[in-house]
Amino acid sequence: LGPLGAIQIASNPEPRCACVLVLDVSGSMKGEAIEALNRGVQSLIEELSADSLASRRVELSVVTFGNTVELVSDFKTPRHLSIERLEASGATPMGEAVVKAASLLESRKQEYKQEGLQYFRPWMFLITDGEPTDAGTSYWRQAIRIVHEGEKSGHLLFFGVAVNDADQSVLDQLCPPTRPSPRRASGAPPQARPAPRACQRWRTGPRCCCHPQRRGRAPFSEQSQIGRRRCYCRRQRDCSRLPLRRRLLHRRKLLPL
């Protein structure tokens, strides 16, 4: 797809969400790690392609870093994206890769603006198992500044994922303070993040069925944290702390909580 054009916009006027995958293909990823990475990328493309909305809105770009920082694929919708098998070799110029990925996102946003397309906050995913070989260089300092300022200003969503024996402390320097990289040991299943206290997300008391102290409540999830005051376990009689009008409409099945 490359640069946006009138024909593409006419056939797909949906708002766009630019997403860059920054993938570690250094020598430390040889073996099962690079095989798992290849499977994961293909699975992501297939899942996005199968979704009718995501396949039209999400635009993926892939940047790898190993011997060099390489743009494997420019921004394309999942159904038009084809990634050749990744091979592991070389060093880990992580900072340079993040700077390049940020530059790609900024250029893509300018193209959206020129074509009059609405767009969502762009995403950047970094997957690595090693320590950056350019730590302490201008690239590394620039990458930290770009990520932190982008998160603070609302211009970027950055997710750092450490696999195998990656140096967690170094990666956390790059990740935004509010979203550190998830910790995962080699071969171990990912650890679930502890659920936040109910008072931070739900302004309800123990009488509400959504409160963690209530028996029969639904577990905390990303969905339940986004929708405040929603009753997922459907115990309507316990939602007495909600406004009367919403409670009555909920019982008449005219309005979700």
Side-chain angles (χ1 to χ4, degrees), residues 26-39 85-89 129 164:
S26 61
S28 59
M29 290 284 288
K30 286 184 178 180
E32 177 57 29
I34 195 67
E35 296 298 332
L37 183 61
N38 278 297
R39 293 194 300 269
R85 187 178 183 279
L86 304 174
E87 300 289 345
S89 64
D129 77 332
N164 294 339

Side-chain angles (χ1 to χ4, degrees), residues 173-191:
Q173 296 176 18
L174 182 61
C175 293
T178 56
R179 196 184 306 110
S181 59
R183 302 181 181 275
R184 181 175 182 180
S186 177
Q191 299 178 0

